[in-house]
Amino acid sequence: MTQETVAATSDAVLDREETISRDELEVLQLSRLQHTVAYAYDRVPLYKRKFDEHGVHPTDLRELSDLAKFPFTTKEDLRLEYPFGMFAVPQHEVARIHASSGTTGRATVVGYTKKDLADWAKLVARSLRASGVRPGMKVHNAYGYGLFTGGMGAHAGAEALGCTVIPISGGQTERQITLIQDFKPDAILATPTYLLTIADAMMKQGIDPASTSLKYAVLGAEPWTEEMRHELEVTMNLKACDIYGLSEVMGPGVAGEAVETQDGSHIWEDHFRPEIIDAFDPSVVLGDGEHGELVFTSLTKEALPIIRYRTKDLTRLLPGTARPAHRRMGRITGRSDDMIILRGVNLFPSQIEEIALRIPELSPHFQLELTRPAGQRMDQLTVKIERRESVTVEGVASAAKVLQQQIKIHVGSSCAVDVVEPGSLERSNGKLRRIYDLRPKA
Ligand code: DLL
């Protein structure tokens, strides 16, 4: 335990920064922000160039709202500076490198100094603790290890909290189940769809997923809904909380959800300054409560300071509750680049998840297929969804109709619904791909 920690609640010791007032937090943010913009400007040529082109200088940052004067950073910037152009320290000071998979272009590479790694572990520990995990608990870590930040990020955080970590990584679902049965972990860290895969595989083996030792699940790395939380909590008899993050900003633990309120992740604002902008007119910074694109500026990072990074994640900022000084983020509706535009109507997979899970005959296993039938100019959306094991084929005909109608009412899109056999759709191993775009390439 570090010196900064003080006793705060009856069964958990919080970091001092978790308990400070909003005023105190903003004073801290301003001084850290002033340092970060100057540090980035002095050490990273890209920031110097961008600030100069934008006609703004680090000394222009006198109050927090001045941040809006600074230019954005995008994934494209990181790609152009591939591999190490964004690093603000010499290579020998970089203790670790992570990278995105690069499925949609060049990988984005991120780096951490020893201090960055310590801060990261502290924030993941803080997030896990908020979600109910305590020192001494056994933690089954099913986030993928490797260049993805999920596995090692969650691992270091659980260790820093004082847990016993089981570093199984993602995949090998049968083995995951054996270890859950034999090691009896208290908590599991996974993507929500991978936890669903595990629960599903348990049922196939005749194991009741509600009967395991698991009491807490800390889930993230992909969008999920309240309906999915309910599904997982009931099926597995545990408390499921959200953890959010992205590699460009740090990795998991940028924000974490408190188990006592379960009302969205608190952004750890002593290390990150969030903004919400209008995704279509980025010059407009929106107020708290308004929906838009989430933007982050790091306040303490050494190897990769990041200024106004456009996450493409769509959400809103809400007042802090369990940690009053730290604002919460609403559930992420989706990413602006995951949005399906179907005959002029915007649609996200999470909207389908929300609607489908309210229909008892339908399972949470679904895919969205986009096609353009031959000779037609209109795109077609087909929701392929598995029926629940417990209902008959005849029993699902009306459920399909209900889903179709509800999508029309709540989303505004006409679509086809194809109810398929249990187990026929691909299962998640980590971040699940929901959208299959089979339209001919233009
Ligand atoms: O997914 C980091 C992470 C690992 C977070 C484990 C939580 C748990 P990236 O691979 O860089 O990093 O992907 C970041 O994933 O911009 C969001 O679109 C999405 N995402 C992450 N957490 C959540 C969440 C990791 N809790 C991208 N809810 C982000 C919704 C999430 N989307």
Side-chain angles (χ1 to χ4, degrees):
M1 216 50 46
T2 62
Q3 285 171 330
E4 332 159 53
T5 54
V6 292
T9 64
S10 55
D11 75 328
V13 179
L14 303 189
D15 294 341
R16 203 189 78 81
E17 291 84 356
E18 283 177 89
T19 61
I20 59 181
S21 70
R22 181 75 202 172
D23 286 348
E24 206 184 330
L25 179 70
E26 289 195 349
V27 170
L28 182 68
Q29 282 190 328
L30 180 60
S31 69
R32 289 183 167 179
L33 196 54
Q34 285 169 329
H35 166 78
T36 298
V37 290
Y39 177 86
Y41 184 81
D42 291 343
R43 290 180 174 233
V44 183
L46 172 112
Y47 284 122
K48 174 156 182 18
R49 199 169 63 241
K50 283 191 134 196
F51 289 14
D52 289 348
E53 279 168 14
H54 215 76
V56 67
H57 189 266
T59 50
D60 294 330
L61 205 144
R62 288 186 207 95
E63 46 190 274
L64 286 171
S65 59
D66 289 333
L67 182 57
K69 297 178 184 159
F70 287 77
F72 294 110
T73 308
T74 63
K75 202 176 191 76
E76 197 47 35
D77 290 321
L78 272 87
R79 289 204 174 119
L80 291 172
E81 295 298 317
Y82 177 89
F84 306 140
M86 298 287 288
F87 288 9
V89 295
Q91 185 260 308
H92 68 269
E93 287 179 30
V94 178
R96 179 142 18 110
I97 285 168
H98 281 283
S100 74
S101 57
T103 42
T104 54
R106 247 184 193 176
T108 47
V109 179
V110 296
Y112 307 78
T113 63
K114 280 213 162 74
K115 178 179 177 293
D116 291 335
L117 290 177
D119 284 343
W120 184 13
K122 184 179 85 175
L123 293 182
V124 173
R126 192 191 280 182
S127 305
L128 296 178
R129 187 181 53 216
S131 301
V133 183
R134 291 288 175 270
M137 284 188 179
K138 279 175 280 180
V139 173
H140 180 104
N141 184 17
Y143 285 118
Y145 281 65
L147 288 172
F148 173 53
T149 54
M152 294 187 73
H155 181 111
E159 263 185 13
L161 183 59
C163 300
T164 307
V165 190
I166 302 155
I168 176 122
S169 189
Q172 302 191 43
T173 307
E174 305 297 299
R175 188 139 185 255
Q176 305 257 357
I177 295 172
T178 306
L179 295 194
I180 292 170
Q181 296 283 85
D182 295 349
F183 293 1
K184 303 198 172 11
D186 305 278
I188 186 162
L189 317 180
T191 63
T193 57
Y194 189 55
L195 188 56
L196 201 60
T197 299
I198 294 177
D200 200 45
M202 281 180 175
M203 286 190 264
K204 283 214 179 67
Q205 288 185 23
I207 300 167
D208 177 5
S211 71
T212 74
S213 56
L214 292 168
K215 291 184 279 296
Y216 300 98
V218 187
L219 312 174
E222 61 183 1
W224 58 305
T225 58
E226 282 306 314
E227 285 70 18
M228 182 69 100
R229 187 196 320 255
H230 180 75
E231 170 85 20
L232 289 167
E233 289 195 336
V234 170
T235 314
M236 301 207 67
N237 185 28
L238 45 68
K239 282 278 185 194
C241 285
D242 184 59
I243 184 165
Y244 169 86
L246 64 167
S247 58
E248 294 84 354
V249 174
M250 181 177 77
V254 171
E257 190 173 41
V259 69
E260 61 270 33
T261 46
Q262 290 192 308
D263 54 359
S265 284
H266 280 88
I267 297 167
W268 304 125
E269 289 205 57
D270 47 333
H271 291 267
F272 310 100
R273 171 78 185 174
E275 297 169 275
I276 295 283
I277 58 163
D278 182 334
F280 301 101
D281 180 0
S283 66
V284 179
V285 177
L286 298 172
D288 287 3
E290 292 188 273
H291 285 274
E293 180 181 336
L294 188 55
V295 168
F296 280 109
T297 301
S298 67
L299 301 178
T300 51
K301 281 173 70 189
E302 292 181 339
L304 192 100
I306 195 105
I307 311 292
R308 304 197 83 202
Y309 184 73
R310 289 190 62 172
T311 65
K312 297 199 171 169
D313 290 326
L314 303 174
T315 183
R316 61 190 176 135
L317 294 175
L318 299 164
T321 50
R323 303 289 181 275
H326 301 260
R327 281 172 289 178
R328 285 168 302 140
M329 48 195 278
R331 277 225 181 256
I332 294 187
T333 342
R335 295 177 54 78
S336 54
D337 49 8
D338 250 6
M339 186 170 77
I340 298 173
I341 304 177
L342 190 71
R343 287 172 240 130
V345 177
N346 301 345
L347 184 158
F348 290 102
S350 62
Q351 291 172 291
I352 307 291
E353 180 176 297
E354 202 175 302
I355 296 169
L357 277 178
R358 290 197 201 127
I359 304 172
E361 293 86 355
L362 301 178
S363 82
H365 304 286
F366 70 92
Q367 283 176 4
L368 305 180
E369 237 178 55
L370 277 170
T371 51
R372 183 168 302 157
Q376 285 193 25
R377 279 187 302 149
M378 297 281 239
D379 291 336
Q380 160 92 41
L381 171 72
T382 306
V383 180
K384 285 191 162 173
I385 185 159
E386 292 179 13
R387 66 176 165 85
R388 299 251 183 208
E389 202 85 58
S390 51
V391 290
T392 59
V393 180
E394 298 74 48
V396 292
S398 59
K401 215 168 241 126
V402 174
L403 179 59
Q404 205 172 23
Q405 284 165 352
Q406 292 292 311
I407 293 173
K408 179 80 195 155
I409 294 167
H410 296 289
V411 184
S413 295
S414 302
C415 66
V417 171
D418 185 5
V419 181
V420 298
E421 286 301 285
S424 59
L425 297 180
E426 199 179 316
R427 289 292 183 266
S428 166
N429 254 332
K431 289 182 193 257
L432 179 64
R433 178 171 165 207
R434 291 275 194 208
I435 303 171
Y436 288 77
D437 190 347
L438 308 177
R439 291 173 295 186
K441 296 271 169 296

